[in-house]
Coordinates of all heavy atoms in Angstrom, one line a residue:
I53 N 0.4 -3.7 -1.8 CA -0.8 -4.0 -1.0 C -1.9 -3.0 -1.4 O -1.6 -1.8 -1.3 CB -0.6 -4.0 0.5 CG1 0.4 -5.1 0.9 CG2 -1.9 -4.2 1.2 CD1 0.8 -5.1 2.3
K54 N -3.0 -3.5 -1.8 CA -4.2 -2.6 -2.1 C -5.4 -3.0 -1.2 O -5.7 -4.2 -1.2 CB -4.6 -2.6 -3.6 CG -3.5 -2.0 -4.5 CD -4.0 -2.0 -5.9 CE -3.0 -1.5 -6.9 NZ -3.5 -1.5 -8.3
V55 N -6.0 -2.1 -0.5 CA -7.2 -2.4 0.3 C -8.2 -1.4 -0.1 O -8.0 -0.2 -0.1 CB -6.9 -2.4 1.8 CG1 -8.1 -2.7 2.6 CG2 -5.7 -3.3 2.1
R56 N -9.4 -1.9 -0.4 CA -10.5 -1.0 -0.7 C -11.8 -1.5 -0.2 O -11.9 -2.7 0.2 CB -10.6 -0.8 -2.2 CG -10.6 -2.1 -3.0 CD -10.2 -1.8 -4.5 NE -10.0 -3.1 -5.2 CZ -10.8 -3.7 -6.0 NH1 -12.0 -3.2 -6.2 NH2 -10.5 -4.8 -6.6
S57 N -12.8 -0.6 0.0 CA -14.1 -1.0 0.6 C -15.0 -1.7 -0.5 O -14.9 -1.4 -1.6 CB -14.8 0.2 1.2 OG -15.0 1.2 0.2
G58 N -15.9 -2.6 0.1 CA -16.8 -3.3 -0.8 C -18.0 -3.7 0.0 O -18.6 -3.0 0.8
I123 N -7.2 -6.5 -1.8 CA -8.2 -7.0 -0.9 C -9.4 -6.0 -0.8 O -9.2 -4.8 -0.7 CB -7.5 -7.1 0.5 CG1 -6.3 -8.0 0.4 CG2 -8.5 -7.6 1.6 CD1 -5.5 -8.1 1.7
I124 N -10.6 -6.6 -0.8 CA -11.8 -5.9 -0.7 C -12.4 -6.2 0.7 O -12.6 -7.4 1.0 CB -12.8 -6.2 -1.8 CG1 -12.1 -5.9 -3.2 CG2 -14.1 -5.4 -1.7 CD1 -13.0 -6.3 -4.4
V125 N -12.7 -5.2 1.5 CA -13.3 -5.4 2.8 C -14.5 -4.5 3.0 O -14.7 -3.5 2.3 CB -12.2 -5.1 3.9 CG1 -11.0 -6.0 3.7 CG2 -11.7 -3.6 3.8
P126 N -15.3 -4.8 4.1 CA -16.3 -3.9 4.5 C -15.7 -2.5 4.9 O -14.6 -2.5 5.4 CB -17.0 -4.6 5.6 CG -16.8 -6.0 5.4 CD -15.4 -6.1 4.8
A127 N -16.4 -1.4 4.7 CA -15.9 -0.1 4.9 C -15.5 0.1 6.4 O -14.5 0.8 6.7 CB -16.9 1.0 4.5
G128 N -16.1 -0.6 7.3 CA -15.9 -0.4 8.7 C -14.7 -1.3 9.3 O -14.5 -1.4 10.5
T129 N -13.9 -1.8 8.4 CA -12.8 -2.7 8.8 C -11.6 -1.9 9.1 O -11.1 -1.1 8.3 CB -12.5 -3.7 7.7 OG1 -13.6 -4.5 7.3 CG2 -11.4 -4.7 8.1
V131 N -7.7 -1.4 9.4 CA -6.7 -2.0 8.6 C -5.3 -1.7 9.1 O -4.9 -0.6 9.5 CB -6.8 -1.3 7.1 CG1 -5.6 -1.8 6.2 CG2 -8.1 -1.6 6.5
I140 N 1.6 0.9 -1.0 CA 0.4 0.5 -0.2 C -0.6 1.6 -0.6 O -0.4 2.8 -0.6 CB 0.7 0.6 1.3 CG1 1.7 -0.5 1.7 CG2 -0.7 0.3 2.0 CD1 2.0 -0.5 3.2
T141 N -1.8 1.1 -0.9 CA -3.0 1.9 -1.3 C -4.2 1.5 -0.5 O -4.5 0.3 -0.4 CB -3.3 1.8 -2.8 OG1 -2.2 2.2 -3.5 CG2 -4.5 2.8 -3.1
V142 N -4.8 2.4 0.2 CA -6.0 2.1 1.0 C -7.1 3.2 0.7 O -6.8 4.4 0.8 CB -5.7 2.1 2.5 CG1 -7.0 1.7 3.3 CG2 -4.6 1.1 2.9
T143 N -8.3 2.7 0.4 CA -9.4 3.6 -0.1 C -10.7 3.2 0.6 O -11.1 2.0 0.6 CB -9.5 3.5 -1.6 OG1 -8.2 3.7 -2.2 CG2 -10.5 4.5 -2.1
G144 N -11.4 4.3 1.0 CA -12.8 4.1 1.4 C -13.0 3.4 2.7 O -14.0 2.6 2.9
I145 N -12.2 3.6 3.7 CA -12.3 2.9 5.0 C -12.7 3.8 6.1 O -12.2 4.9 6.2 CB -10.9 2.3 5.4 CG1 -10.5 1.2 4.4 CG2 -11.0 1.6 6.8 CD1 -11.4 0.1 4.2
S146 N -13.8 3.4 6.9 CA -14.3 4.3 7.9 C -13.9 3.7 9.3 O -14.7 3.4 10.2 CB -15.8 4.4 7.8 OG -16.4 3.1 7.8
V149 N -6.6 3.2 10.3 CA -5.7 2.6 9.3 C -4.2 2.9 9.8 O -3.9 4.0 10.1 CB -5.9 3.3 7.9 CG1 -4.8 2.9 6.9 CG2 -7.3 2.9 7.4
V151 N -0.4 1.8 8.3 CA 0.3 1.2 7.2 C 1.8 1.6 7.3 O 2.2 2.6 7.7 CB -0.2 1.7 5.8 CG1 -1.7 1.3 5.6 CG2 -0.1 3.2 5.6
K159 N -0.6 5.6 -0.6 CA -1.7 6.4 -1.1 C -2.9 6.1 -0.2 O -3.3 4.9 -0.2 CB -1.9 6.2 -2.5 CG -0.8 6.7 -3.4 CD -1.1 6.6 -4.9 CE 0.0 7.2 -5.8 NZ -0.3 7.1 -7.2
L160 N -3.5 7.1 0.4 CA -4.7 6.9 1.2 C -5.8 7.9 0.7 O -5.5 9.0 0.5 CB -4.4 7.2 2.7 CG -3.1 6.4 3.2 CD1 -2.7 7.0 4.6 CD2 -3.4 4.9 3.4
D161 N -7.0 7.4 0.7 CA -8.1 8.3 0.2 C -9.4 7.9 0.9 O -9.7 6.7 1.0 CB -8.3 8.1 -1.3 CG -9.2 9.1 -1.9 OD1 -9.5 10.1 -1.2 OD2 -9.7 8.9 -3.0
A162 N -10.2 8.9 1.3 CA -11.5 8.7 1.9 C -11.4 7.8 3.1 O -12.1 6.7 3.2 CB -12.5 8.1 0.9
I163 N -10.6 8.2 4.1 CA -10.5 7.4 5.3 C -11.1 8.2 6.5 O -10.7 9.3 6.8 CB -9.0 7.2 5.7 CG1 -8.2 6.6 4.5 CG2 -8.9 6.3 6.9 CD1 -8.7 5.3 4.1
S164 N -12.1 7.6 7.1 CA -12.9 8.3 8.2 C -12.4 7.6 9.5 O -13.2 6.9 10.2 CB -14.4 8.1 8.0 OG -14.8 8.7 6.8
E179 N -5.5 11.8 1.0 CA -6.7 12.7 0.6 C -7.9 12.3 1.4 O -8.2 11.1 1.7 CB -6.9 12.5 -0.9 CG -5.8 12.8 -1.8 CD -5.7 14.3 -2.1 OE1 -6.7 15.0 -1.8 OE2 -4.6 14.8 -2.5
S180 N -8.7 13.3 1.7 CA -9.9 13.2 2.4 C -9.8 12.3 3.7 O -10.4 11.2 3.8 CB -11.0 12.5 1.5 OG -11.2 13.3 0.4
I181 N -8.9 12.8 4.6 CA -8.7 12.1 5.9 C -9.6 12.7 6.9 O -9.4 13.9 7.3 CB -7.2 12.1 6.2 CG1 -6.3 11.6 5.1 CG2 -7.0 11.3 7.5 CD1 -6.6 10.1 4.7

Side-chain angles (χ1 to χ4, degrees):
I53 297 174
K54 294 181 180 180
V55 181
R56 49 201 168 99
S57 60
I123 304 175
I124 303 174
V125 299
T129 303
V131 175
I140 298 178
T141 304
V142 182
T143 306
I145 299 299
S146 55
V149 171
V151 298
K159 293 186 178 181
L160 309 167
D161 189 17
I163 309 297
S164 301
E179 297 281 339
S180 299
I181 305 301

